[in-house]
Amino acid sequence: MAGTGTAHLRDRDRVLLRVEDLVVEFPASRGQKVHAVSNISLDVLKGETLGLVGESGCGKSTTGKAILQLPPPTSGTVTFEGTDITTLGGRDLRQVRTKLQMIFQDPISSLNPRRKVEQLVAEGLDIWGKGTKDERQKKVDDLLVTVGLDPTVARGRRAHQFSGGQCQRISIARAVATEPALIVCDEPVSALDVSVQAQILNLLEDMKEQYGLTLIFIAHDLAVVKNISDRVAVMYLGRLCEVGDPDVLYQAPAHPYTAALLSAIPVPDPAVRPDERTTLGGEIPSPLSPPSGCRFRTRCPRADEQCKQEVPEMHGIGADHFVACHHPLAPGETLVDLRTS
Amino acid sequence: MTGSTTAPAASNASDGVFAAVEPDEVLLEVENLHTRFSSPRGTVHAVRGVSFDLRRGRTLGVVGESGSGKSVLSRSIMGLMPSNASRTGSVRFAGQDVLDISPKRMRTLWGDQMSMIFQDPMTALNPVVRVGKQITESLHEHLDISRTVANETALELLRSVGIPQPDRRLRQYPHEMSGGMRQRVMIAIALACGPRMLFADEPTTALDVTVQAQILDLLQALQRDRQMSMILVTHDLGVVAGRAHDIAVMYAGQIVEKAPAKELFGRVRHPYTQALLRSIPKLEMAKHTRLEAIDGRPPDLVNLPQGCKFAPRCPYAQDRCRTEEPVLQPDGDNTEHLVACHFPVSGSVAVPQPTSATNRATN
Ligand SMILES: Nc1ncnc2c1ncn2[C@@H]1O[C@H](COP(=O)(O)OP(=O)(O)OP(=O)(O)O)[C@@H](O)[C@H]1O
Ligand SMILES: Nc1ncnc2c1ncn2[C@@H]1O[C@H](COP(=O)(O)OP(=O)(O)OP(=O)(O)O)[C@@H](O)[C@H]1O
Ligand code: SF4
Ligand SMILES: [Mg+2]
Ligand SMILES: [Mg+2]
């Protein structure tokens, strides 16, 4: 997007989570600001998986953390089950947070190395004193079985004794333990081998089914995101570019950035010659001084004066397909030559 | 992207030992290479009997999961070995043995004959030395040229790897550059002395896809222009699919399948390669397509199982697989396609039925 707007948001009563005009800025040296997330709006239906994709530094993690108020955003609202949680504090906020969980990219370092697996998984249960000790133990064992670990083997061990894939299973058991309504998965498979990645993606789908979970799934791998998501949002430099059903969005990307991203993916098929595909030139500009107007314009082959002057607004271009671009691609149209530099 | 490159053609034959190798002649011959590390747990057998030839001007893609021995293989050929390592077998470069030569002699070949690009350009570059100095130093070391000429060459090298305003970049420190720019600098340094063989170990893993595509295009263009041989190491089958002439798939320290790229993807023979390809989510799959994961995980290189190392995870494994280790050999009369499997799979002929009685470890 590099744009703003709320055309892609759905009916307030139907959504579990609604994020409006989210802004996150970090102070930088010499009085500058990192514009990490700028006026992003999103929503998620109950039981839906929203995929959030974009390249490094575009603000995916910052968005995910701001939703969980870790830390609260600079401005904007985060409405969860009808309450704007940016206004909550203390006990109310802690109470809400048990319903919002997060799974991180690095499975090993995100688990406390001094605690045993059973303690890690039970943490949320213990904090809220749910059930008796025996009930909690039983629940932990059930969770371990569900994520494919043998409780008798796993229970008493510590995280470093497990592989990356196993640690990610423990993280999932732990996140699911408090029966949260929403889990933000921040690149949960990016550090894993493809074969383990497939195991974890399948597991997440199973858990979603079993526990009726709602997910925000962050990743930079478009194929992974498509596989798990019901709806995908593409980010660039702190803003949203395009939102839609993945089957539509990948088939007919409308935003030049989405098109470029899709064409840059290395495909495991030697018939697709990379040198015949289009490559995007240049690099992502600094979030300290993002370009005016459309933030993608410095790398966009379609950019013109309007793109420089006006921030494009999200607008509908088809059933569940929205784009923030002044000159979106028509269905079937391709970027003829993306080599701008 | 990059015009013709004007880096100094290194005087490859100057020391009289390394014969000239014409395009498409064999430059590198690896035979029965084993690399072991001593460790407190026992001997880690990281590379186990790897053999292959690489011709001049060709790219070999090496793929496999984490820990399969891809990096150790490249480093073993380059002679970049820690003190707890031992190598056996034979490695010949331009007809000359390079496995048993002294480390000192080996070092004179680095940069000049063989060069390596690492995954993380931040740790590979010296953070407190300006980029320009790092390039000119490498030039000084290998080519007997004056400071002015070295400087001009450095400028030309940066230009050749697509770095805008190269004179400004030469005065910068690595941390002042983006990941993509640093990787371009690394490539410039690796190519400074005109090596005949380039090892690229996950050269783009740390980069974004749009930048990754730029860097891979660049490497491919440079390799073609100079008729270099290249070993491109990656865990991403997509990266090598359109860019390597041949692909070697590694599992537990061995090459389990090797073939020209088109042939490999078109007629997968090894169950592991098949499983690897099937487990990758593809763009053209509809959302929520169930992925075919490989159960279990790779074996411990200290305590390797008998027989085929993939057998514990292989859906086609029979008793023979668990006792007798398959060797890498031509697939029937197709001498270009090598496979190490007792029961190779086939896309066209009747596929052997997965046996349900495999001892599947849970990961
Ligand atoms: N605590 C912080 N202080 C200052 N800047 C920050 C902070 N956290 C993030 N940023 C900056 O905000 C921008 C967005 O970062 P974020 O981590 O959200 O990106 P991302 O999309 O998750 O990237 P990646 O794919 O690399 O994880 C980046 O420019 C980053 O450097
Ligand atoms: N110096 C060492 N001492 C002991 N073991 C080592 C040493 N270096 C590597 N190994 C082991 O050798 C095996 C192969 O490692 P290698 O780095 O080649 O894997 P790789 O295929 O490059 O994996 P990745 O995709 O993670 O880079 C691993 O099990 C590793 O732990
Ligand atoms: S055409 Fe304009 S608005 Fe659309 S992506 Fe390019 S620069 Fe942005
Ligand atoms: Mg992130
Ligand atoms: Mg490696």
Side-chain angles (χ1 to χ4, degrees), chain A residues 59-60 80 113 133 140 151 226 255:
Chain A
K60 304 180 295 295
F80 175 71
K133 196 158 178 294
V140 167
K226 179 177 180 186
H255 198 286

Side-chain angles (χ1 to χ4, degrees), chain A residues 55-56 163 166 169 193 195 199 202 205-206 226-228 230 245 247 266-267 270 274 279-280 282-283 299, chain B residues 65-66 178 208 210 212 214 217 224 238 241-243 265 281 283 285 287-291 294 297 363:
Chain A
E55 293 178 284
S56 182
S163 70
Q166 288 170 323
R169 288 172 192 271
D193 271 327
S195 63
Q199 294 170 355
N202 285 346
E205 293 272 31
D206 295 343
K226 179 177 180 186
N227 183 263
I228 198 155
D230 301 299
D245 178 308
D247 289 339
V267 203
T279 309
L280 193 63
E283 302 200 26
R299 298 173 80 195
Chain B
E65 288 175 84
S66 185
S178 69
D208 283 322
T210 58
Q212 163 170 300
Q214 295 169 7
D217 284 348
R224 233 181 256 153
R243 303 187 191 265
F265 286 100
L283 280 174
M285 284 179 179
K287 60 187 178 191
H288 302 301
T289 303
R290 185 112 189 141
L291 298 169
I294 316 176
R297 39 183 183 138
N363 175 55

Side-chain angles (χ1 to χ4, degrees), chain B residues 47 91 102 132 178:
Chain B
V47 172
V91 178
S102 72
S178 69

Side-chain angles (χ1 to χ4, degrees), chain B residues 171-183:
Chain B
R171 294 191 302 272
Q172 286 187 327
Y173 291 95
H175 69 87
E176 297 175 272
M177 297 183 159
S178 69
M181 280 300 154
R182 284 198 295 263
Q183 198 55 298

Side-chain angles (χ1 to χ4, degrees), chain A residues 63-228:
Chain A
T63 302
K65 288 182 196 155
I67 290 170
L68 269 68
Q69 310 299 300
L70 295 166
T74 310
S75 66
T77 58
V78 177
T79 310
F80 175 71
E81 292 181 333
T83 310
D84 177 9
I85 62 173
T86 59
T87 60
L88 300 181
R91 201 188 145 80
D92 290 341
L93 182 56
R94 281 201 301 278
Q95 186 82 57
V96 168
R97 271 205 190 123
T98 61
K99 299 189 188 170
L100 303 168
Q101 290 287 333
M102 194 142 177
I103 298 171
F104 296 94
Q105 168 168 0
D106 186 348
I108 299 175
S109 69
S110 62
L111 295 172
N112 185 338
R114 278 170 312 196
R115 312 206 72 190
K116 292 182 186 153
V117 166
E118 58 185 351
Q119 294 171 317
L120 288 168
V121 174
E123 214 159 62
L125 301 174
D126 293 346
I127 291 174
W128 292 99
K130 283 190 180 161
T132 65
K133 196 158 178 294
D134 282 352
E135 279 166 3
R136 291 206 290 267
Q137 165 93 52
K138 164 103 178 42
K139 170 122 202 204
V140 167
D141 285 0
D142 289 347
L143 282 163
L144 288 174
V145 171
T146 323
V147 297
L149 296 169
D150 180 350
T152 53
V153 178
R155 225 188 268 136
R157 295 216 228 164
R158 285 164 226 274
H160 66 89
Q161 292 173 280
F162 293 90
S163 70
Q166 288 170 323
C167 283
Q168 210 52 294
R169 288 172 192 271
I170 296 167
S171 302
I172 292 169
R174 179 181 145 86
V176 173
T178 56
E179 290 168 26
L182 177 85
I183 303 182
V184 175
C185 308
D186 191 2
E187 311 247 10
V189 295
S190 304
L192 306 175
D193 271 327
V194 286
S195 63
V196 186
Q197 168 179 296
Q199 294 170 355
I200 298 297
L201 288 172
N202 285 346
L203 174 64
L204 278 171
E205 293 272 31
D206 295 343
M207 299 301 272
K208 211 183 118 181
E209 179 116 324
Q210 184 169 347
Y211 293 91
L213 295 170
T214 304
L215 303 180
I216 294 181
F217 189 97
I218 297 172
H220 60 265
D221 185 326
L222 281 129
V224 164
V225 165
K226 179 177 180 186
N227 183 263
I228 198 155

